[in-house]
Amino acid sequence: MTRAERLSLQRVSAPFCIICLSTLRRHSSLSLCTVFQEDQFLSDSFHTHTHTHAHTPQHGHLQHRPIVMALPDTAPLLVGLLLIFHALGAWAIVEVNMEDKVEVMAGDTAQITCMFTTDEGLGGTTIQWFYVLPNKKRQRIYNKEPMHEAAEQNTPFTDRISLNVTGTAAVLVIRDVGVKDNLEFICVIKTITPEEAEGRTQLQVFKSPTFPTIEAVETGVSVNEEDPSKIGSCSVKNGYPKPNITWYRNNMPLRITPDEVDLKSSITTESSGLYSVQSELRMKVKKEDKDAKFYCEVLYFVPGATKMTESQHINITVYYPPTEVNIWVESPKGKIKEGDTLELRCENNGNYPSSITTIKHQNSGYFVENNKMVQTNVTRLDGGVYECTFMETDNFEEISGSTKVLVNYLESAVITPKDSITVMEEEELKASCNALSSLQTDITWFKNEKLVSKGNSLSVKSATFETAGMYKCVVTVPEMEGMKTSSTLQVNVKGSPQILGPGVQEVETYETTVNLNCSARGFPAPTIMWTTSDGKNLNALQTETEDGAQSVVTFKITSSVKVFCNASNDFGSKVVEFNIKAITQNTSTNYVNDPVQTPTKSPNIKKESKGFVIAIIIIAILLLAILGSVLYFLYKKGRICGRSGKQDFSKRKSSKDNIVVEMKSDNTEEAILLGVNGEKQQPNDQ
């Protein structure tokens, strides 16, 4: 039966008929009240946005049981009464339309609309609002009658609700909505007949949660853990309805996987009714996870939409064992030589914090700090294979790597023959120099800081006294700067002595003391003796030189004499002659302004000094001539000896005796005035 058919039937058949006893008395044919009730299908209600209810009075009358209590002659009267009531009209129809749900954010104002229609109009309509308790019972919160309306007292909504009725719309306004208001609300419309209908709306309240907080595990996670390890936790607070948390690894969502990924969530209901959710991620990590980014995503609901918030990204420390160990020479760069400081470094591609690193060389082991080993002043014995071993303290597994170190060396230079060599004059000189080295070497020979030969051999076909001396062999390594060694060889040349200088030397001197020098070469070092032409031996000081000997003799002379220097050794002797000519002066020496005569030292005058003496004499004569000319010029001008220009020379000596010269020797302080004739003049004779 359709809804239209049911409504048509409702209009044809009166819902019920009550014949009161007093009315029946007026008809005098009835003594009882007969109650007729419509069939049950007319009392069925429907609630699909439109709610229509036809209720019988709640007065204890029997339902579903039509009872006829009358005399046999009352049947025609009852039929008439039915027709009369039908003519008077049926009960009014009430319809209610409401939304299934109303969504609102917590703290906002909710408006629940109840749309209704009734044949009686708003004046005879009662509007009531209820909410459903957890036990499914109703609790009325608002009542509006034609002459009175008010919110029910002592309910959670007493001070927060109001009702706005406009036409056929009754809007329940709930202010400051909270999550506890997430309830089902019922709107009931009643008429005077009485006829009533109701509608229901679910109020859904939403509260956005806080921004998610994520925390990574503080300690590192090992790939060797048998069970999933904690990666981090993500929490979100004060959301409604309950937020959902999803974990991501490198933008890929993580799902629970047995023995691999485990997600544990806990939900806390706050006193405010809001939800706080915490999720913990546990998983078995791999080495690749050291660079992975983990984060959580929170999914929550708002009116008419779904939103999500992403947490910050975190990175965890993943401990993984090494698969390779490398050891290398950090310094020095390039080749290593003895005496250098060697620094070795050892690293592996793992990152276990609890590990021991050692470096072994042959039978020696070194514990390493900061993955390096330093050894100073290395020698060739420090070369060889160095092995770096990494051991985990958790399971004592070891892994190692090695490198070979070569320490280059250069031993001391060795000259053959050693220290010194003696050869005869005009014989061949041969010597060799070598130094053991791990690299190619260059050998050079020096004498008196001058390069004399290259290569490890020193050879002179015909040795002379010039060959004798100290030789130095220098060995260098071109590939390595500063790698050098050297040794020396003294070369002696045997032979008869050679005196340096001419065999005969002429010496002229004005002095009474003379110094003579005699140098001779030879090996063994010659002995030098001094003698004079009259057979006297002179005492002299002799010193050895690099290639022979030297002697200096000092003696007084009174007249010309010959002195001989005799140098001799086991292979012969040589003599040099010094002809000393003593130059005497006949002029007398007067001391001017100095009564004390200062002795002079006799210079060592050699033959080469004769020209110097002659030059001095010539210069002195020129000075005398100039002085005489000046004096004569002054005399002619009358500038001396009176204004007349004349002078009495009767008391003086002849002009021949009056020209004097003051001479000073380099080795004396006395002043000597000489006359032209060479005689000494006293100061009072001038």
Side-chain angles (χ1 to χ4, degrees):
M1 180 182 292
T2 64
R3 180 170 177 271
E5 292 173 346
R6 293 175 63 187
L7 292 176
S8 175
L9 180 60
Q10 186 178 15
R11 292 181 180 273
V12 173
S13 300
F16 49 81
C17 177
I18 302 175
I19 303 175
C20 297
L21 181 59
S22 58
T23 305
L24 292 176
R25 284 179 180 177
R26 284 190 296 226
H27 291 81
S28 69
S29 61
L30 295 175
S31 60
L32 298 175
C33 177
T34 304
V35 179
F36 298 96
Q37 186 170 355
E38 65 177 342
D39 189 59
Q40 181 64 34
F41 80 91
L42 294 176
S43 64
D44 290 342
S45 62
F46 56 94
H47 182 75
T48 55
H49 293 285
T50 302
H51 309 274
T52 304
H53 300 271
H55 297 277
T56 60
Q58 305 291 327
H59 300 295
H61 299 288
L62 297 177
Q63 299 181 10
H64 309 291
R65 293 180 183 179
I67 300 175
V68 179
M69 300 175 65
L71 294 176
D73 57 350
T74 59
L77 180 60
L78 293 176
V79 174
L81 291 174
L82 290 174
L83 294 175
I84 293 172
F85 279 107
H86 178 71
L88 293 176
W91 299 109
I93 298 175
V94 179
E95 292 184 357
V96 175
N97 292 319
M98 295 183 69
E99 295 177 319
D100 288 337
K101 62 182 178 179
V102 171
E103 297 178 340
V104 63
M105 293 296 294
D108 292 347
T109 299
Q111 295 183 359
I112 304 175
T113 302
C114 177
M115 302 295 296
F116 64 92
T117 59
T118 176
D119 294 342
E120 296 182 359
L122 186 61
T125 302
T126 298
I127 304 173
Q128 294 180 336
W129 283 90
F130 300 82
Y131 75 92
V132 180
L133 297 172
N135 59 5
K136 303 301 181 181
K137 293 183 179 181
R138 298 183 179 188
Q139 172 68 51
R140 190 168 68 179
I141 59 175
Y142 203 94
N143 183 42
K144 182 181 185 315
E145 296 179 355
M147 301 301 294
H148 173 74
E149 69 174 292
E152 297 291 335
Q153 299 298 314
N154 301 321
T155 70
F157 301 95
T158 300
D159 299 327
R160 296 190 294 123
I161 61 174
S162 61
L163 184 64
N164 297 330
V165 179
T166 303
T168 59
V171 180
L172 178 66
V173 179
I174 306 175
R175 297 178 296 276
D176 192 19
V177 175
V179 296
K180 292 183 179 181
D181 300 334
N182 200 84
L183 301 169
E184 186 179 31
F185 291 83
I186 303 174
C187 173
V188 177
I189 306 296
K190 293 182 178 182
T191 61
I192 299 176
T193 8
E195 179 92 7
E196 72 177 50
E198 68 179 35
R200 295 171 180 254
T201 294
Q202 177 68 44
L203 179 61
Q204 293 185 348
V205 182
F206 297 89
K207 175 67 168 64
S208 299
T210 60
F211 189 82
T213 301
I214 188 170
E215 293 182 358
V217 62
E218 294 182 357
T219 59
V221 182
S222 173
V223 298
N224 291 335
E225 296 292 336
E226 296 181 359
D227 298 326
S229 302
K230 181 179 178 180
I231 304 301
S233 62
C234 178
S235 62
V236 63
K237 296 181 179 180
N238 300 328
Y240 194 91
K242 178 179 71 69
N244 296 320
I245 296 179
T246 304
W247 281 91
Y248 286 82
R249 175 186 178 275
N250 292 337
N251 300 323
M252 296 297 294
L254 295 173
R255 308 299 181 192
I256 295 178
T257 305
D259 299 328
E260 293 292 334
V261 180
D262 186 19
L263 299 173
K264 293 183 179 180
S265 298
S266 61
I267 303 173
T268 302
T269 303
E270 308 293 344
S271 59
S272 60
L274 300 175
Y275 293 105
S276 295
V277 182
Q278 183 175 16
S279 178
E280 182 180 275
L281 171 63
R282 290 179 173 270
M283 64 179 292
K284 293 188 70 173
V285 297
K286 301 178 181 179
K287 180 180 178 181
E288 294 76 14
D289 292 327
K290 65 184 179 65
D291 300 319
K293 299 296 182 181
F294 295 88
Y295 64 95
C296 62
E297 182 184 82
V298 177
L299 183 70
Y300 61 95
F301 302 96
V302 295
T306 301
K307 291 186 177 182
M308 57 185 178
T309 303
E310 189 176 292
S311 71
Q312 294 180 344
H313 293 205
I314 61 172
N315 180 257
I316 61 173
T317 301
V318 178
Y319 294 129
Y320 48 89
T323 58
E324 183 181 8
V325 175
N326 294 320
I327 180 173
W328 70 92
V329 177
E330 181 69 17
S331 68
K333 301 298 184 182
K335 297 183 182 298
I336 306 170
K337 66 178 183 296
E338 289 186 324
D340 286 343
T341 296
L342 175 65
E343 179 180 342
L344 292 173
R345 292 190 65 88
C346 177
E347 289 186 357
N348 59 79
N349 59 355
N351 67 342
Y352 259 93
S354 56
S355 61
I356 299 175
T357 304
T358 57
I359 294 179
K360 296 180 180 179
H361 174 242
Q362 297 177 354
N363 296 325
S364 301
Y366 307 92
F367 288 100
V368 178
E369 294 184 2
N370 299 325
N371 293 332
K372 71 177 181 179
M373 184 202 75
V374 178
Q375 190 169 355
T376 60
N377 197 24
V378 295
T379 66
R380 71 193 73 177
L381 299 178
D382 295 317
V385 177
Y386 285 80
E387 183 180 41
C388 177
T389 302
F390 170 85
M391 181 180 67
E392 299 178 25
T393 56
D394 294 339
N395 51 21
F396 299 101
E397 291 184 358
E398 291 186 353
I399 185 172
S400 61
S402 62
T403 187
K404 187 175 182 180
V405 175
L406 175 62
V407 179
N408 294 286
Y409 59 89
L410 176 63
E411 293 186 354
S412 299
V414 177
I415 297 178
T416 304
K418 185 179 180 181
D419 296 335
S420 65
I421 181 175
T422 302
V423 296
M424 291 298 297
E425 192 176 7
E426 297 182 355
E427 285 186 353
E428 185 178 5
L429 168 65
K430 287 186 177 181
S432 63
C433 176
N434 290 285
L436 187 61
S437 175
S438 59
L439 299 171
Q440 185 67 34
T441 59
D442 283 347
I443 301 176
T444 51
W445 292 86
F446 293 88
K447 181 185 179 186
N448 298 330
E449 305 300 329
K450 293 182 178 181
L451 178 66
V452 295
S453 179
K454 290 185 178 181
N456 68 319
S457 296
L458 175 65
S459 177
V460 179
K461 292 184 177 181
S462 179
T464 62
F465 286 122
E466 284 78 8
T467 307
M470 183 66 71
Y471 289 80
K472 184 177 182 180
C473 169
V474 178
V475 182
T476 58
V477 177
E479 297 181 45
M480 299 193 68
E481 184 179 358
M483 205 169 179
K484 181 172 68 173
T485 183
S486 63
S487 184
T488 58
L489 174 66
Q490 176 64 43
V491 175
N492 300 314
V493 178
K494 292 182 178 180
S496 178
Q498 290 183 355
I499 297 178
L500 302 178
V504 177
Q505 300 184 25
E506 301 290 337
V507 178
E508 294 182 353
T509 180
Y510 292 95
E511 307 297 334
T512 58
T513 301
V514 68
N515 296 328
L516 300 178
N517 187 350
C518 183
S519 298
R521 295 187 300 184
F523 187 83
T527 301
I528 298 177
M529 302 293 293
W530 292 90
T531 59
T532 61
S533 56
D534 54 2
K536 292 181 180 180
N537 292 326
L538 302 177
N539 295 326
L541 179 64
Q542 178 175 330
T543 57
E544 289 190 2
T545 61
E546 182 180 356
D547 55 354
Q550 181 181 11
S551 179
V552 177
V553 66
T554 301
F555 65 97
K556 294 182 179 181
I557 58 173
T558 57
S559 61
S560 298
V561 66
K562 290 184 179 181
V563 179
F564 302 97
C565 171
N566 187 353
S568 62
N569 61 9
D570 297 340
F571 298 95
S573 63
K574 286 292 187 298
V575 178
V576 65
E577 177 182 339
F578 293 89
N579 292 327
I580 302 174
K581 294 182 179 180
I583 301 176
T584 59
Q585 296 181 351
N586 296 327
T587 59
S588 60
T589 303
N590 296 327
Y591 301 94
V592 180
N593 299 328
D594 189 1
V596 180
Q597 182 177 357
T598 303
T600 62
K601 296 181 180 180
S602 300
N604 181 22
I605 302 175
K606 300 182 181 180
K607 182 177 181 180
E608 291 81 355
S609 64
K610 294 174 64 176
F612 176 75
V613 174
I614 294 172
I616 292 298
I617 294 173
I618 294 173
I619 292 173
I621 294 173
L622 291 175
L623 290 175
L624 291 174
I626 294 172
L627 179 60
S629 299
V630 172
L631 293 175
Y632 179 77
F633 176 77
L634 294 176
Y635 170 74
K636 286 293 187 179
K637 292 294 183 178
R639 300 295 178 87
I640 58 174
C641 299
R643 295 183 180 180
S644 61
K646 296 182 179 180
Q647 190 174 1
D648 186 7
F649 292 95
S650 61
K651 296 182 180 180
R652 300 183 180 274
K653 297 182 180 180
S654 64
S655 61
K656 178 181 179 181
D657 298 329
N658 286 336
I659 300 176
V660 295
V661 178
E662 181 180 15
M663 299 184 64
K664 294 184 179 180
S665 173
D666 293 337
N667 297 323
T668 183
E669 296 179 358
E670 67 176 336
I672 304 175
L673 299 177
L674 300 179
V676 177
N677 56 2
E679 295 179 356
K680 293 183 180 181
Q681 302 290 324
Q682 296 298 326
N684 54 4
D685 294 336
Q686 296 182 31

